[in-house]
Structure formats: structure tokens, C-alpha cells
Amino acid sequence: TIARFLIFTIILLMAFFEFYKVIKYKQKNNFLIIYIILFTLSFIHLGLVRTIYPESSILLLFLIVSTVISDVCGFFFGNFFGYHKLPEVFNKNKSWEGVLGQMVGALIGVLLIKYFVVHQGNILIFLPIGIGSAIGDLMNSRAKRIAGIKNWSNFIPGHGGFIDRFCSLAGSGIFTFYYILFFLH
């Protein structure tokens, strides 16, 4: 619909504005350019879901809710149980427990939607959502470290900007698209 298109366009424009500000004032790096391309392609895949999957509204509900819960669980698991750190190339402050928390959060999100909202859907969809969410988050962390910044912007105070809020959704969107394409379609 036009409303979805406008929301999608505003989010992408705000993200590009954040990217532009960082790249304009910081050193240019090939990884940042690749990250911008992947971020954009990931969101395009959310739109492609609608073309290949007839019940895309339900799928997007699974995807969005599960990704948000995945992020929250990843944060809490990482902060409270995070003893086994990921390799420094990703982020020395992230842990394997945080990644596990993202997987658990994706599963919780899928189960909540499946049993309380739509009563249908494949539970295994939590796998691409959780993996994609973790990879999107780790790529975002890496991009920020390369750019030498803590937050992309202050558009959303306390949340690191639009890119920080949507990096996990970008990752889970692309993984879920290919999961649907190869296993559900």
C-alpha cells in the first residue's frame, strides 16, 4: 500500500542520511560502502516477500515481532550471561551468549505470534530470523567500529539512530526471504 511504501521510504532516507553524515566526516572504507549496499538490499527483500508469499502480512508480523524480541533477548543475555566474548574483529563487547539470546528471542517471538495471534505458521522460521538478526547486529557493530562512532545519529535518543534500530530487521529480512524462497514456496 501507499502507507507502507511511505514508511519504508522514510526509514531508508533517514538511514541514508545517517550513513552520509558518517561517511562525509569520517574516513571512507570499503566495508562501510558494502554495508550500505547490504542494508539497502536487505530492506528491498522485505518488499520482495510480498511478491512471492501470499500471506506476507502474517509473515511480516512474525518477522518484525520476532526480530524486536530477538534484539531485546540478545541484549539481556549478553549483559547478564555474556562471559564468552566473540572475536574482536566483530566486537569485543559482544558475546556468544548474546547471539544465543537473539536465537532464543526469535523463537519466543515466533511462538507468541503463532499461539496468541494467528495460530498458523512454521515454527522453524525462528532460525532465519534469529541468525539474520544476529548477523545484522554484528555487521552494524563492525560498521560503527570502522567508522569510529558510538551512534549513527541522535534522531532516536538513546537508540543509536535509525540504522541501529533496523540493522537486525535488515539481516533477518534477507535471511527470511531466502528461507521462504527455498523451503516454504
Side-chain angles (χ1 to χ4, degrees):
T1 65
I2 292 175
R4 286 183 193 167
F5 177 76
L6 287 174
I7 291 169
F8 172 75
T9 303
I10 290 169
I11 290 169
L12 270 182
L13 288 175
M14 296 304 283
F16 282 130
F17 181 70
E18 290 174 352
F19 280 131
Y20 173 74
K21 278 183 16 185
V22 168
I23 290 175
K24 180 180 172 186
Y25 296 110
K26 303 287 182 177
Q27 68 176 2
K28 289 183 174 64
N29 185 297
N30 289 338
F31 182 81
L32 289 176
I33 304 301
I34 291 168
Y35 181 68
I36 292 169
I37 292 168
L38 287 174
F39 188 85
T40 305
L41 286 175
S42 296
F43 270 101
I44 289 170
H45 280 79
L46 288 175
L48 292 175
V49 166
R50 187 151 182 85
T51 63
I52 67 160
Y53 197 67
E55 297 174 1
S56 61
S57 296
I58 293 169
L59 178 66
L60 290 175
L61 180 65
F62 274 106
L63 187 61
I64 292 168
V65 169
S66 297
T67 299
V68 168
I69 294 173
S70 173
D71 270 353
V72 171
C73 286
F75 174 79
F76 283 110
F77 273 52
N79 279 335
F80 293 110
F81 309 112
Y83 300 109
H84 301 93
K85 300 298 180 186
L86 289 172
E88 192 169 323
V89 70
F90 297 115
N91 187 332
K92 64 183 178 183
N93 298 323
K94 301 261 182 190
S95 67
W96 287 107
E97 290 83 0
V99 172
L100 175 66
Q102 288 191 283
M103 297 298 293
V104 169
L107 177 61
I108 291 169
V110 166
L111 291 174
L112 287 172
I113 296 298
K114 181 171 175 50
Y115 291 108
F116 294 112
V117 180
V118 294
H119 308 293
Q120 64 186 32
N122 184 339
I123 291 175
L124 292 178
I125 196 126
F126 89 91
L127 289 170
I129 293 172
I131 293 168
S133 179
I135 289 173
D137 185 47
L138 290 172
M139 285 191 67
N140 184 57
S141 254
R142 179 78 175 134
K144 288 194 312 185
R145 285 186 57 207
I146 287 171
I149 60 170
K150 180 171 173 40
N151 296 321
W152 289 105
S153 75
N154 292 322
F155 282 129
I156 308 172
H159 290 276
F162 281 90
I163 298 170
D164 268 9
R165 287 304 89 213
F166 294 102
C167 63
S168 294
L169 183 60
S172 62
I174 197 165
F175 274 72
T176 303
F177 172 80
Y178 287 106
Y179 175 80
I180 293 166
L181 188 64
F182 293 120
F183 297 108
L184 297 181
H185 191 257

